[in-house]
Amino acid sequence: MGSNEMVMVPEIKHTKLFINGEFVDAASGKTFETRDPRTGDVLAHIAEADKADVDLAVGAAREAFEHGKWPRMSGYERGRAMHKLADLMEQHTEELAALDGADAGKLLLLGKIIDIPAAVQMLRYYAGAADKIHGESLRVSGKYQGYTLKEPIGVVGIIIPWNFPSLMFFLKISPALAAGCTVVVKPAEQTPLSALYYAHLAKLAGIPDGVINVVPGFGPTAGAAIASHMDVDSVAFTGSGEVGRLIMEASARSNLKTVSLELGGKSPLIIFDDADVDMAVELSRLAIFFNKGEVCVAGSRVYVQEGIYDEFVKKAVVAAQNWKVGDPFDVATNMGPQVDKEQFERVLRYIEHGKSEGATLLTGGKRAGDKGYYIEPTIFADVKVILTSTRRTRQKVYTSCYSQGENN
């Protein structure tokens, strides 16, 4: 974290939009910066998609769906292509984990043993399902035959967040590809690098042109264009509730496209007197500080019954102080930097809110180091809460609130 430390920067090979099987500049020629959260330095200049580029990507996806071979392949053939893409991902695990590490501040080690393998497993799961999409025969009255036939919906717009760039990419595209759909993906503007690399690998795997299109850009422009596009049949989004509402509205105002939303939430932990305190401390630490708190189900509140409250708080403070903050490419690091300057400043503002509202700061609360977007693991106690439960066990609960970034 010191200003004199050297950081490893992976080679950035792909910075343009991926439309119809080719890497191309944005129609406007505009680019935006993606920065390394370890230093704040620019990693690359990325082509910035706007409505015109989304139109081109959707047009390519529509052509591939209506006239291309992907929806007309057997499920077995689609599955084979998806498995080939998974094979290429496994061959490039180190490089892919490094891209997410440098772009998002994620731990390189966990990327290699969790994020990329989980993305591969997700893709292989749906590859195996591609030839198992069946309808049903229905018993109906009279001299009639009833049956259902499941068909691909068409062009799917996909908008993913920055906290798990690889996992979210394949969580969304894998079922769409298995069904025979074509996709237009807008990765988060903070973390476009791995999505572009996956597009390159998809081309190498033999997935036909136009089936996967990747258009990095910003929500109010590229994202809005996808959500309101008359030729997008379905849109999938993971992110904030506020943006989820905008996507539902845009979808309704356009062509009533189907919408799949996964939105952020608050996830309290409740720990009772009969719990194993050491285990509870370790699990609560992991629940909030894993992935530097940038998890939509991060355990940002901990309710502890009064019989073990003091012991829990004392041990939780020590655990937080032992959680090493540092370069995510260092195998000894537990927590890297927040994803970008905006998230870094948001977390620091939340910490200041906690102080101003009378909560007791037990540990952390400051920037860690003098460079990059690192923040000390932080715990508040004596947080003012309103308890609505009438159950006695809940009325006796106290709270110890961790503060770190959340993806909502």
Side-chain angles (χ1 to χ4, degrees):
M1 292 179 295
S3 58
N4 295 324
E5 292 185 21
M6 296 292 293
V7 296
M8 179 183 134
V9 179
E11 181 183 1
I12 311 299
K13 297 178 180 177
H14 305 291
T15 60
K16 297 183 179 184
L17 313 180
F18 188 80
I19 298 176
N20 202 26
E22 301 292 338
F23 284 103
V24 297
D25 292 320
S28 66
K30 291 193 297 185
T31 63
F32 65 94
E33 297 173 344
T34 185
R35 291 183 175 268
D36 188 333
R38 299 172 296 172
T39 61
D41 297 338
V42 175
L43 271 174
H45 291 85
I46 307 296
E48 181 182 337
D50 209 330
K51 183 180 184 302
D53 305 291
V54 170
D55 285 344
L56 291 172
V58 172
R62 175 57 63 189
E63 176 67 20
F65 181 75
E66 298 294 347
H67 305 292
K69 60 184 179 180
W70 186 252
R72 292 157 188 83
M73 287 181 177
S74 67
Y76 172 75
E77 291 175 305
R78 284 199 303 273
R80 286 190 66 184
M82 293 168 70
H83 276 300
K84 188 171 182 181
L85 174 55
D87 292 340
L88 291 170
M89 290 167 62
E90 289 178 331
Q91 293 170 24
H92 293 84
T93 293
E94 182 89 24
E95 190 170 5
L96 291 164
L99 287 175
D100 282 348
D103 216 11
K106 296 175 68 69
L107 298 187
L108 178 64
L109 177 61
L110 293 191
K112 292 190 292 185
I113 66 174
I114 296 178
D115 288 51
I116 308 306
V120 169
Q121 184 177 4
M122 181 79 63
L123 181 59
R124 291 198 189 281
Y125 175 87
Y126 283 102
D131 61 356
K132 302 172 183 66
I133 301 172
H134 307 299
E136 295 179 340
S137 296
L138 307 175
R139 181 187 294 274
V140 294
S141 61
K143 298 179 180 180
Y144 301 100
Q145 172 69 30
Y147 65 91
T148 62
L149 176 66
K150 295 183 179 180
E151 298 179 320
I153 196 169
V155 177
V156 180
I158 294 170
I159 304 170
I160 58 176
W162 39 257
N163 55 343
F164 291 92
S166 293
L167 276 172
M168 286 295 174
F169 187 89
F170 286 98
L171 181 68
K172 303 298 189 188
I173 76 161
S174 299
L177 294 181
C181 296
T182 59
V183 300
V184 177
V185 184
K186 191 200 87 64
E189 61 269 23
Q190 296 89 342
T191 54
L193 296 179
S194 59
L196 292 170
Y197 202 96
Y198 290 126
H200 162 68
L201 294 182
K203 175 96 173 180
L204 295 181
I207 293 177
D209 295 347
V211 174
I212 297 176
N213 304 273
V214 179
V215 286
F218 294 87
T221 50
I226 291 172
S228 62
H229 206 288
M230 293 296 292
D231 217 14
V232 170
D233 300 297
S234 179
V235 63
F237 168 76
T238 293
S240 70
E242 178 185 5
V243 176
R245 291 185 181 93
L246 294 175
I247 289 173
M248 289 191 73
E249 180 181 353
S251 299
R253 289 183 181 276
S254 53
N255 59 343
L256 283 174
K257 59 179 64 66
T258 60
V259 179
S260 174
L261 301 176
E262 180 197 356
L263 309 178
K266 302 293 287 184
S267 305
L269 304 178
I270 301 173
I271 303 170
F272 292 103
D273 285 347
D274 59 352
D276 180 324
V277 175
D278 291 333
M279 178 183 290
V281 166
E282 179 58 29
L283 291 176
S284 64
R285 178 173 71 170
L286 189 63
I288 183 58
F289 297 135
F290 172 74
N291 203 51
K292 58 265 185 21
E294 294 171 351
V295 182
C296 58
V297 292
S300 55
R301 292 175 291 162
V302 185
Y303 293 89
V304 185
Q305 198 167 3
E306 59 187 347
I308 58 170
Y309 179 81
D310 291 338
E311 180 187 2
F312 178 90
V313 168
K314 181 178 178 180
K315 290 183 175 181
V317 168
V318 173
Q321 292 169 345
N322 290 335
W323 196 249
K324 183 181 177 182
V325 179
D327 187 340
F329 283 58
D330 182 346
V331 295
T333 294
N334 298 121
M335 190 168 83
Q338 307 307 132
V339 69
D340 66 357
K341 184 178 181 182
E342 181 181 355
Q343 183 68 8
F344 170 77
E345 292 176 345
R346 180 184 291 118
V347 174
L348 290 178
R349 284 197 303 271
Y350 281 141
I351 291 172
E352 292 307 310
H353 285 323
K355 293 177 183 177
S356 65
E357 292 173 2
T360 301
L361 179 64
L362 298 179
T363 187
K366 304 188 300 297
R367 176 179 192 162
D370 57 4
K371 194 173 186 180
Y373 308 133
Y374 298 92
I375 297 177
E376 296 174 341
T378 299
I379 301 178
F380 281 101
D382 307 318
V383 178
K384 294 183 176 69
V385 293
I386 299 174
L387 297 176
T388 58
S389 173
T390 58
R391 292 181 60 189
R392 182 176 179 81
T393 54
R394 301 297 172 89
Q395 291 174 328
K396 295 279 189 181
V397 168
Y398 295 173
T399 181
S400 172
C401 181
Y402 293 68
S403 177
Q404 205 59 251
E406 293 181 296
N407 190 46
N408 57 17

